[in-house]
Amino acid sequence: MSDLYTVVVFITLFTLIINIMGVISNGLVSQKNKNEIIAVSLVIGIAVIGEWIGVETNGAASSLILLHKAAKLVEFCAAPAIGVTAAIAYGKVKRIRLAYVFIACHAVFEIWAMLNGWVFFIDSDNIYHRGSLYWLYIAACIFSVLYCFICMVIGYKNYQARFNGVMALVMCLLAFGVSVQMVNSEIRVDYLCAVIGNIFLYNNRGSIVNQVDKTTRLLNRRCFDRKAESVKSNVCVMVFDINKFKIINDTYGHAVGDECLKDVGKIIFSVYGKHGQCYRIGGDELCVILNKYFENPEKLNARLHREAAKLRPKYGDIFGISVGYAYCDGSKTTFAEAFKKADEMMYENKKINF
């Protein structure tokens, strides 16, 4: 069993190294996010090595008791930190310092608990035993995983991503790995499951980010083109354009223009995001494909203009958003025809605003 377990540990660590090398060479990921993702792999690696040393020294010579204790302490400190670091890397953490405080406080607790034998203890024969407060360690691990799940759900919403089941399946994989070890402590695949889950989350996050326009956080033109090809009927196509956007750029600079695009993207997503998909299709032109609540788009448009009015003190009276819309029923009007009608209506409204 020891040989098989060592092979599993080797595969786990080797997979971590491959993942880290892939992250480092990824030119689409910011350095900050690279560091966060690498941190997840390093924490898993530390936990794996701690567990492996603990297993190999369990029942060994008494001279290795201190090494055994140190290895278990390292594992027990690192394991709950996996979910927290994954939340930072793949999710939306509003108060990141509190996440680090949790990791630090848990580490201090584990050190204190080790000295008193609360969570685990090593007897005089160098045999590992669970302590009376072992359940607190399990609770910390569960909290860490749930925290990671919640932060990722929030983060995906910010990227206008639909829940695709990957996160839920990764959580199931982690639960499976932990459950197997709880039932049979000889089968240690929990950290291998964590490594596999980390790779899936990394790939899924990359897929989501590649679909999103960097400035507005709306879906990009490539996604719009794919959606346009698949739409058959019963949608409302809406086209938006920022009035006098060139003047904003010329007057305040392109940095302010990008900020304006970002603000407009937030408004459009807040107004229409629950009812359909929002896209930036080029320049200051944006589009929404309403799947729901498309019977009365003017009500949504009125809300859009109210929200846009709040931005006028920031960008001046020249700021405004022109809107046009048309329906696609799949038989009388195709998506391309509906888009053209919506675009024409938008430009008519733009002339009025000018």
Side-chain angles (χ1 to χ4, degrees):
M1 174 62 192
S2 179
D3 291 340
L4 177 60
Y5 172 64
T6 299
V7 171
V8 171
V9 169
F10 174 81
I11 293 173
T12 303
L13 294 175
F14 199 73
T15 304
L16 281 173
I17 293 172
I18 294 173
N19 188 40
I20 290 174
M21 291 178 65
V23 173
I24 292 174
S25 61
N26 190 340
L28 298 177
V29 179
S30 68
Q31 188 59 51
K32 178 177 179 294
N33 198 213
K34 282 184 181 181
N35 295 337
E36 294 168 345
I37 296 170
I38 291 172
V40 181
S41 296
L42 292 178
V43 171
I44 296 175
I46 291 170
V48 170
I49 293 173
E51 182 191 62
W52 178 74
I53 295 175
V55 170
E56 293 299 315
T57 56
N58 192 41
S62 298
S63 59
L64 297 175
I65 287 179
L66 288 179
L67 178 61
H68 192 180
K69 286 184 177 180
K72 296 305 295 183
L73 176 63
V74 167
E75 180 195 355
F76 277 49
C77 289
I82 294 173
V84 176
T85 52
I88 295 171
Y90 305 118
K92 179 69 173 179
V93 179
K94 293 184 177 180
R95 298 181 179 178
I96 195 169
R97 289 185 180 179
L98 291 180
Y100 290 127
V101 168
F102 167 77
I103 295 175
C105 289
H106 177 76
V108 171
F109 166 75
E110 289 294 344
I111 294 172
W112 187 256
M114 182 195 69
L115 297 175
N116 294 276
W118 293 338
V119 176
F120 73 90
F121 62 92
I122 311 296
D123 64 21
S124 58
D125 295 323
N126 200 13
I127 303 295
Y128 162 82
H129 300 279
R130 293 174 180 174
S132 59
L133 296 182
Y134 179 79
W135 64 271
L136 281 177
Y137 164 71
I138 297 299
C141 291
I142 294 173
F143 169 81
S144 175
V145 172
L146 292 177
Y147 177 75
C148 177
F149 182 80
I150 293 171
C151 289
M152 284 192 296
V153 170
I154 295 173
Y156 277 33
K157 285 183 178 179
N158 287 341
Y159 276 104
Q160 200 193 173
R162 296 294 183 262
F163 187 84
N164 57 14
V166 171
M167 291 185 295
L169 292 175
V170 168
M171 297 302 120
C172 290
L173 177 64
L174 294 175
F176 171 78
V178 174
S179 299
V180 167
Q181 186 167 339
M182 293 294 291
V183 173
N184 187 343
S185 60
E186 295 298 315
I187 304 177
R188 301 175 183 274
V189 294
D190 48 346
Y191 294 123
L192 178 60
C193 290
V195 170
I196 296 172
N198 182 43
I199 292 173
F200 282 134
L201 290 177
Y202 169 64
N203 290 335
N204 189 60
R205 172 64 182 273
S207 175
I208 295 297
V209 171
N210 287 337
Q211 297 177 43
V212 174
D213 173 66
K214 184 178 180 180
T215 303
T216 63
R217 294 294 179 91
L218 303 181
L219 296 173
N220 58 30
R221 180 58 189 253
R222 184 181 301 174
C223 291
F224 173 77
D225 291 339
R226 298 291 83 78
K227 181 67 175 180
E229 293 171 356
S230 63
V231 170
K232 301 300 180 183
S233 61
N234 298 325
V235 298
C236 178
V237 184
M238 310 192 72
V239 178
F240 307 82
D241 191 272
I242 302 175
N243 298 337
K244 303 180 181 178
F245 183 68
K246 185 178 184 303
I247 298 177
I248 294 176
N249 272 328
D250 294 342
T251 304
Y252 303 106
H254 289 282
V256 175
D258 287 345
E259 186 69 21
C260 179
L261 278 171
K262 187 181 297 185
D263 288 338
V264 172
K266 288 180 181 178
I267 291 176
I268 289 179
F269 180 63
S270 67
V271 174
Y272 304 94
K274 294 181 180 180
H275 311 294
Q277 294 81 46
C278 308
Y279 305 85
R280 181 187 179 189
I281 56 179
D284 61 322
E285 193 171 5
L286 305 106
C287 179
V288 171
I289 300 177
L290 288 180
N291 303 310
K292 304 174 184 177
Y293 202 80
F294 51 76
E295 296 86 357
N296 188 14
E298 287 294 348
K299 188 173 182 179
L300 295 175
N301 294 345
R303 182 185 166 194
L304 170 74
H305 293 308
R306 287 196 300 271
E307 294 297 322
K310 297 177 183 179
L311 293 177
R312 282 179 183 157
K314 185 175 182 180
Y315 300 109
D317 290 336
I318 59 174
F319 176 81
I321 303 175
S322 296
V323 188
Y325 63 90
Y327 294 95
C328 169
D329 57 17
S331 56
K332 296 180 180 179
T333 305
T334 65
F335 181 87
E337 292 169 339
F339 180 83
K340 183 179 179 181
K341 290 181 179 179
D343 199 46
E344 291 172 350
M345 179 180 178
M346 182 273 292
Y347 275 107
E348 287 299 322
N349 290 331
K350 194 176 183 71
K351 290 178 183 178
I352 297 173
N353 292 324
F354 267 95

